[in-house]
Amino acid sequence: MVNAIWLFMLVTGIIVAALNGRIEVVTESAMAAAELGVETAFGLIGVMSLWLGLMKLAEDAGFIKALARFFGPAIRRLFPTLREDSPALGAIIMNLSANVLGLGNAATPFGLKAMQELQKENPHPDTASPAMITFLALNTSCITLIPATIIAIRMKAQSVNPTEIIGPTIIATGCAMTLAITADYLIRRRSKS
């Protein structure tokens, strides 16, 4: 449905421009939008490279394992079916860390790795395990303390105050994560009885 609306708007814009003898405006706008898209993508590549590099250094230095040990008790409460030495814990921590930093694209590879590790421990491979469901809920609703990608986009768009979204982002994502964890807990508890 959304694609049909976009297509309708595009065709309507072209027709209106042609009827007004201003078809060159469509071409100029398309080229300007394509240029902006490439510039924005290159800007995001820089931000993502920085954070992915820092996270790789943290992983190689053993910081991620230390984080997994530190946050282990909280993570194990959320994932009671995981073994203490589960390799999924490190991937989950990396994914949540990237999400907390507002790097959704950087979080994706860690999320995929976490799901692969969770699947290895899944006693019923044809069905999502409770740990997989909890991880999906956390991954999609994770609190964001530093929305780095959004700040980078706002800086590229020359926002007067690109960081003004930090407070609202923390509140919105904090509420979403709290709700997701609560719903996951209540549904899992109800399904046991």
Side-chain angles (χ1 to χ4, degrees), residues 183-193:
D184 177 68
Y185 173 77
L186 293 174
I187 290 170
R188 192 177 331 161
R189 192 168 153 200
R190 185 176 180 172
S191 67
K192 285 182 182 177
S193 51

Side-chain angles (χ1 to χ4, degrees), residues 58-72:
E59 185 178 25
D60 290 347
F63 185 67
I64 300 305
K65 286 188 180 182
L67 270 177
R69 278 193 305 274
F70 181 77
F71 288 111

